[in-house]
């Protein structure tokens, strides 16, 4: 069997033929050069308008990298023709195996992009003897295709979140779709300002955001402001997961300060190694942590009192009626204020001032599952951790869409991986 036969089986082009296959020695070893020719009498397609136009002239041959075979690099070699287009002028023809100025064939780009989902970009480059840059360009191309072809209808619920990026120096704003039937990343933007989120709404389009029913977010002010303005018809829900984060932050603060105070007074350091006992939910504690917690609870410490307040707040989420949940919230906030523990008072004040948005959780209970934001957030953190080395926002953006965007791919007759 000839290589041409295989090629015609896996990747056949209508108006072109595989003319010859030959070896070529290059500095790094050997490569396969596959010469492509246009069928005689076939008229080239104008890359400007996509119509068949008269042939004008032929340029020097170009190489397009194709999927490697048995570890050997493969290139298509083709001399592009130019067309004389009555609409666009003299233009380079459009070929079915590559787009624009890309030196990689679209098949190879898709191949690399698929592997880049399973491997780090660095590893994908190493395995296929190519550069990080080429892997990035491939993923970028695949993401652009996916974004242009994704289905943006029927989006009823979105979640807005912020993520730390660049080793914790910068923020990204991310918007997810959190409908039951579809959970994915919709949008990524730099920073977490009013402007950032406004940009999302602008790109999302008025018609679409006018149809939103639920918006989930953190208590971050700029987000609240924009959501109130742009999606006023939607029920705005403060996410349970984010409230737990605020609560844990407060406890951490109390514990750290109290430990310092006790140390200064020369008291027994009972709070050391207690961090996770106080932050974890009781059902997630290890046996040792359980013992430690039982021990701690005997003391009348601020950290312990804060812990009990936090645990008590869990009952809030079990309510069904917004009315009774509201009563509970008021009582809880009052107790937190009476505790005189500053970080907990801060949490109470914050919850109080967002009372209505918190109670919206009960109004939206059937539509939004509480774990969805947390799940997406964890997945995203894993991805950003991998992309810490990325210097540019563009690379991080592409990576996030690639791994979390659930984007469609072009379909070909043959799957190379
Ligand atoms: Zn044209």
């Amino acid at each position: 069997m000839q290589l041409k036969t295989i090629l015609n089986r896996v990747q056949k082009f209508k108006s072109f033929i595989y003319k010859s296959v030959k070896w070529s020695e290059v500095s790094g070893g050997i490569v396969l050069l596959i010469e492509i020719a246009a069928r005689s009498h076939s008229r080239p397609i104008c890359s400007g308008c996509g119509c068949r136009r008269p042939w004008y002239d032929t340029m020097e041959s170009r190489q397009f990298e194709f999927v490697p075979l048995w570890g050997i690099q493969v290139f298509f070699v083709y001399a592009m023709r130019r067309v004389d287009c009555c609409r666009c002028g003299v233009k380079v023809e459009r070929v079915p195996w590559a787009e624009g100025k890309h030196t990689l064939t679209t098949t190879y780009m898709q191949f690399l992009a698929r592997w880049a989902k399973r491997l780090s970009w660095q590893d994908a480059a190493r395995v296929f003897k190519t550069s990080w840059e080429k892997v990035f360009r491939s993923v970028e191309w695949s993401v652009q295709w996916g974004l242009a072809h994704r289905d943006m209808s029927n989006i009823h619920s979105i979640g807005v979140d912020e993520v730390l990026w660049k080793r914790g120096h910068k923020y990204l704003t991310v918007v997810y779709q959190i409908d039951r039937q579809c959970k994915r990343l919709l949008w990524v933007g730099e920073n977490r300002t009013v402007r950032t989120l406004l940009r999302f709404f602008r790109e999302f389009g008025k018609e679409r955001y006018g149809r939103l029913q639920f918006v989930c977010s953190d208590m971050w002010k700029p987000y609240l402001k924009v959501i109130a303005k742009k999606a006023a018809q939607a029920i705005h829900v403060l996410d349970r997961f984010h409230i737990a984060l605020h609560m844990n932050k407060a406890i951490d603060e109390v514990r750290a300060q109290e430990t310092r105070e006790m140390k200064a007074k020369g008291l027994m350091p009972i709070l050391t190694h207690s961090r996770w006992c106080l932050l974890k939910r009781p059902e997630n504690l290890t046996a040792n942590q359980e013992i430690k917690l039982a021990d701690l609870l005997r003391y009348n410490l601020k950290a312990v009192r804060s812990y009990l307040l936090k645990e008590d707040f869990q009952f809030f989420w079990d309510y069904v009626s917004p009315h009774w949940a509201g009563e509970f919230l008021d009582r809880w906030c009052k107790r937190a204020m009476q505790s005189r523990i500053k970080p907990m008072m801060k949490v109470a004040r914050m919850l109080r001032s967002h009372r209505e948005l918190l109670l919206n959780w009960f109004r939206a209970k059937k539509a939004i599952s509480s774990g969805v934001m947390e799940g997406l957030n964890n997945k995203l953190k894993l991805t950003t951790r991998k992309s810490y080395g990325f210097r540019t926002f563009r690379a991080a953006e592409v990576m996030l869409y690639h791994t979390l965007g659930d984007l469609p791919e072009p379909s070909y007759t043959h799957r190379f991986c």
Side-chain angles (χ1 to χ4, degrees), residues 46-51 53 83 85-89 91:
C46 167
S47 57
C49 58
C51 297
R53 299 292 185 206
V83 298
C85 178
C86 51
R87 212 183 302 166
C88 319
K91 277 261 173 192

Side-chain angles (χ1 to χ4, degrees), residues 66-115:
F66 191 62
V67 182
L69 182 69
W70 299 322
I72 306 163
Q73 275 187 300
V74 177
F75 292 91
F76 286 168
V77 183
Y78 179 70
M80 304 278 269
R81 295 168 290 175
R82 289 199 298 174
V83 298
D84 185 8
C85 178
C86 51
R87 212 183 302 166
C88 319
V90 174
K91 277 261 173 192
V92 178
E93 72 174 314
R94 178 192 291 176
V95 288
W97 59 83
E99 274 174 24
K101 292 205 164 30
H102 284 288
T103 55
L104 306 181
T105 57
T106 43
T107 308
Y108 189 38
M109 285 199 286
Q110 198 179 3
F111 175 87
L112 284 178
R114 276 219 188 111
W115 275 105

Side-chain angles (χ1 to χ4, degrees), residues 97-156:
W97 59 83
E99 274 174 24
K101 292 205 164 30
H102 284 288
T103 55
L104 306 181
T105 57
T106 43
T107 308
Y108 189 38
M109 285 199 286
Q110 198 179 3
F111 175 87
L112 284 178
R114 276 219 188 111
W115 275 105
K117 255 187 201 166
R118 298 170 220 170
L119 303 171
S120 77
W121 295 4
Q122 206 77 53
D123 287 340
R126 215 170 290 139
V127 170
F128 298 106
K129 293 182 193 155
T130 182
S131 62
W132 184 93
E133 183 71 19
K134 279 182 183 169
V135 175
F136 166 56
R137 290 289 160 222
S138 303
V139 178
E140 188 183 37
W141 168 83
S142 149
V143 163
Q144 272 165 354
W145 194 95
L147 290 177
H149 292 84
R150 66 180 168 170
D151 181 8
M152 291 289 274
S153 60
N154 292 321
I155 299 174
H156 301 300

